[in-house]
Amino acid sequence: MQKHVVEIEFCTQCRWLLRAAWLAQELLTTFEQDLASVNLVPGTGGILEVRLNGAVLYSRKAMGRFPEAKELKQLIRDVIDPERSLGHSDGHQADKPGAS
């Protein structure tokens, strides 16, 4: 099974370390068997960007807002295991025909 790498680049000038660390904790808890690491990458200029295996999944600047933990979990799940249910925080299974 391939282990994936998540990077969360955050703005040190904006003091977003705690937000980035909280997101990292949420991802590590949800994908503990699937992730090789979640790396916090200091940046500047208002950046908050989440990358999976080098590909940008979420950019605060592009979206104009901060990501929700649920949203990031869904984005990562959709890449690494699209059929996985995320439980109560997931609308994925409810969207499938015949799912309850």
Side-chain angles (χ1 to χ4, degrees):
M1 176 198 248
Q2 177 187 359
K3 296 276 187 163
H4 303 275
V5 175
V6 173
E7 293 177 316
I8 302 173
E9 187 171 356
F10 64 95
C11 181
T12 58
Q13 297 166 316
C14 301
R15 307 269 186 219
W16 289 341
L17 172 60
L18 290 178
R19 185 183 299 258
W22 175 77
L23 289 170
Q25 174 189 318
E26 288 291 312
L27 297 176
L28 284 166
T29 301
T30 301
F31 299 104
E32 61 189 31
Q33 300 299 316
D34 303 297
L35 299 179
S37 62
V38 175
N39 303 316
L40 298 178
V41 180
T44 58
I47 192 166
L48 190 105
E49 193 170 272
V50 180
R51 296 182 288 270
L52 177 65
N53 301 323
V56 175
L57 281 185
Y58 193 94
S59 168
R60 186 195 69 82
K61 283 190 176 182
M63 297 298 289
R65 61 180 175 80
F66 286 100
E68 299 285 333
K70 171 183 173 179
E71 181 177 24
L72 285 181
K73 290 176 185 182
Q74 290 172 346
L75 289 169
I76 289 172
R77 181 273 317 275
D78 290 349
V79 172
I80 68 174
D81 188 2
E83 297 302 315
R84 176 188 292 183
S85 171
L86 293 175
H88 70 277
S89 67
D90 185 21
H92 183 70
Q93 294 297 322
D95 294 339
K96 288 186 172 184
S100 53

